Amino acid sequence: AAGSGADAIILDLEDSVSLANKDAARRAIADYLSGTREVITLVRVNPLDGHMTAADVAAKQNEPPVPLS
């Protein structure tokens, strides 16, 4: 997706990833975010009132937050 010419990509950890694959998806996102990117990358986490959000955010912890306007 990053090479498609899109202005941004969204990495979705919520409903696009089955419960059994959440940890693998978090690792893949952390790996992707650790590299150089040429496109804005957003990460959609699980609901803030849920029990999986902290792990989702931890996968992105080395990246500064980007406020949505």
Side-chain angles (χ1 to χ4, degrees):
S4 70
D7 293 327
I9 59 171
I10 300 171
L11 305 175
D12 188 357
L13 283 170
E14 190 184 20
D15 53 4
S16 68
V17 179
S18 70
L19 186 58
N21 292 316
K22 296 277 187 195
D23 288 335
R26 289 182 189 111
R27 287 190 301 274
I29 286 174
D31 184 54
Y32 177 76
L33 293 175
S34 70
T36 302
R37 297 178 308 283
E38 296 182 14
V39 64
I40 295 169
T41 304
L42 307 170
V43 179
R44 181 180 182 214
V45 299
N46 284 280
L48 297 178
D49 62 351
H51 65 282
M52 293 183 278
T53 309
D56 292 350
V57 172
K60 191 186 174 305
Q61 69 184 353
N62 293 325
E63 290 293 311
V66 177
L68 299 176
S69 54

